């Protein structure tokens, strides 16, 4: 089982908030899901900021199916998943 915090990265705030709501509805046991703005390293321009949805693992860790669902949710909003 994977027990690593997952980061879903998006180009805009609306996409990040929509995915956070979907995650809360689908897996309420995940608790609070953070949405934060993250400037790209070395970039000062606010337009280069990305939005990140940080999701801590469930008590039993992530299953491959859950990680696949996270990938699909991110991809549907032009985002991607990273492990923290």
């Amino acid at each position: 089982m994977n027990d690593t915090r997952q980061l879903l990265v998006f180009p805009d705030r609306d996409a990040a908030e929509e995915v956070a709501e979907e995650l809360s509805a689908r897996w309420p046991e995940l608790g609070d899901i953070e949405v934060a703005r993250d400037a790209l390293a070395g970039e000062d321009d606010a337009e280069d900021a990305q939005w990140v949805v940080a999701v801590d693992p469930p008590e039993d860790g992530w299953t491959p199916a859950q990680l696949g669902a996270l990938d699909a949710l991110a991809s549907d909003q032009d985002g991607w998943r990273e492990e923290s």
Side-chain angles (χ1 to χ4, degrees):
M1 291 283 172
N2 183 330
D3 62 354
T4 305
R5 179 179 235 203
Q6 303 298 308
L7 303 177
L8 305 179
V9 184
F10 301 96
D12 63 71
R13 182 179 184 165
D14 290 341
E17 289 180 347
E18 186 175 321
V19 168
E21 288 176 19
E22 173 70 23
L23 288 170
S24 292
R26 188 180 292 192
W27 294 306
E29 67 273 11
L30 294 178
D32 290 336
I33 296 177
E34 298 176 46
V35 176
R37 191 163 178 230
D38 184 37
L40 296 173
E43 296 291 335
D44 294 327
D45 189 349
E47 290 185 23
D48 291 325
Q50 298 172 323
W51 288 88
V52 176
V53 176
V55 189
D56 289 319
E59 190 173 307
D60 295 334
W62 297 106
T63 66
Q66 288 171 321
L67 292 174
L70 293 177
D71 286 334
L73 283 170
S75 178
D76 287 348
Q77 296 291 335
D78 297 323
W80 64 91
R81 177 178 61 89
E82 297 178 358
E83 292 188 358
S84 167

